[in-house]
């Protein structure tokens, strides 16, 4: 991902205290990362940077929707997402971003690129299993759902019958030698 000036925050000229930044994230942001799981998105990101004498504390919050396909039906829908993360920025001899919550910048740095943190925060807030709300409440009607409903065993008596057939088969499969051993127990 190339760095864009939109997400670069020059902290050297900021006064001590809290500073708030607002970002509107759309599909183009994820296209720059070659991330194509979202058909579209509309996410508001709020970043609060607190500048202290020896470090920076950054709080990220996001809320919005991403358009994704349903895992069951393949139908696209707008999935609401939200999340937040915190980042502490300290200054040291060399750049180090090995820790998720701590970033070490070289002493001469004067700006920070927030785009990677915004990207990770949003992608990680999307659940692994994405189910259309119409599937949960029964209002969505698609060919895939109709086929799933057709193939589903509906009558509980059919399930019970299948269970009884399995039990009968198990009894028939008992080795006759076990019967002789059971007689030993009862012959006392």
């Amino acid at each position: 991902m190339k760095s864009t000036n939109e997400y670069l925050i020059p902290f050297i000229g900021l006064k001590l205290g809290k500073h708030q930044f607002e970002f509107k994230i759309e599909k183009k942001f994820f296209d720059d990362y070659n991330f194509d799981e979202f058909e579209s998105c509309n996410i508001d990101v709020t970043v609060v940077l607190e500048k202290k004498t020896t470090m920076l504390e950054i709080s990220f919050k996001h809320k919005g929707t991403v358009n994704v396909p349903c895992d069951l039906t393949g139908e696209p829908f707008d999935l609401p997402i939200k999340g937040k993360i915190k980042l502490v920025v300290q200054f040291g001899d060399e750049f180090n971003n090995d820790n998720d919550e701590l970033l070490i910048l070289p002493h001469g740095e004067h700006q920070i690129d927030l785009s990677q943190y915004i990207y990770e925060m949003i992608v990680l807030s999307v659940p692994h299993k994405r189910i259309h709300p119409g599937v949960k409440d029964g209002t969505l009607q698609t060919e895939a759902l109709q086929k799933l409903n057709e193939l589903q065993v509906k009558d509980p008596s059919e399930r019970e019958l299948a269970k009884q057939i399995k039990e009968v088969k198990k009894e028939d499969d008992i080795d006759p030698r076990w019967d002789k051993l059971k007689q030993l127990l009862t012959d006392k």
Side-chain angles (χ1 to χ4, degrees):
M1 158 81 198
K2 61 182 182 208
S3 178
T4 59
N5 290 338
E6 185 178 355
Y7 304 103
L8 282 176
I9 306 295
F11 55 81
I12 216 65
L14 298 176
K15 294 181 180 178
L16 294 179
K18 292 186 177 185
H19 307 276
Q20 185 167 326
F21 303 92
E22 304 281 331
F23 300 103
K24 187 80 163 170
I25 305 298
E26 295 177 344
K27 176 82 167 105
K28 185 186 178 319
F29 177 82
F30 293 101
D31 290 343
D32 292 342
Y33 281 95
N34 294 325
F35 186 80
D36 58 355
E37 283 193 31
F38 305 152
E39 296 297 320
S40 64
C41 63
N42 184 11
I43 303 166
D44 295 318
V45 175
T46 304
V47 177
V48 177
L49 183 144
E50 185 175 358
K51 184 175 181 181
K52 298 185 176 183
T53 54
T54 59
M55 67 179 179
L56 305 171
E57 288 183 3
I58 305 173
S59 298
F60 298 84
K61 261 192 200 178
H62 75 282
K63 186 174 186 174
T65 59
V66 292
N67 190 282
V68 294
C70 174
D71 289 339
L72 294 176
T73 63
E75 291 290 317
F77 72 102
D78 287 336
L79 177 69
I81 59 168
K82 65 180 181 177
K84 58 185 176 180
I85 60 170
K86 291 190 181 279
L87 177 68
V88 175
V89 180
Q90 292 184 337
F91 301 95
D93 295 332
E94 61 184 40
F95 179 84
N96 185 346
N97 64 351
D98 291 342
N99 190 328
D100 292 340
E101 297 172 358
L102 176 67
L103 172 66
I104 299 176
L105 292 176
H107 287 291
E109 274 301 313
H110 62 280
Q111 62 186 6
I112 183 170
D113 185 6
L114 302 178
S115 59
Q116 181 67 33
Y117 296 100
I118 292 171
Y119 168 79
E120 289 176 7
M121 174 182 63
I122 292 171
V123 170
L124 292 175
S125 70
V126 176
H128 291 292
K129 189 162 187 159
R130 300 171 279 215
I131 299 176
H132 194 289
V135 172
K136 292 178 183 175
D137 63 20
T139 59
L140 181 67
Q141 297 298 322
T142 64
E143 285 184 35
L145 279 177
Q146 288 173 356
K147 192 64 174 174
L148 283 172
N149 287 334
E150 286 175 20
L151 298 174
Q152 181 179 7
V153 176
K154 293 182 177 116
D155 189 32
S157 62
E158 290 178 22
R159 284 190 214 148
E160 192 61 39
L161 182 62
K163 187 177 176 183
Q164 289 174 357
I165 291 172
K166 278 186 179 178
E167 289 175 7
V168 168
K169 284 186 178 180
K170 284 183 183 176
E171 289 176 10
D172 292 342
D173 293 340
I174 295 177
D175 191 345
R177 291 176 285 186
W178 288 108
D179 291 335
K180 292 290 184 187
L181 289 174
K182 287 180 186 174
Q183 284 179 356
L184 290 174
L185 291 174
T186 58
D187 285 342
K188 292 184 182 176

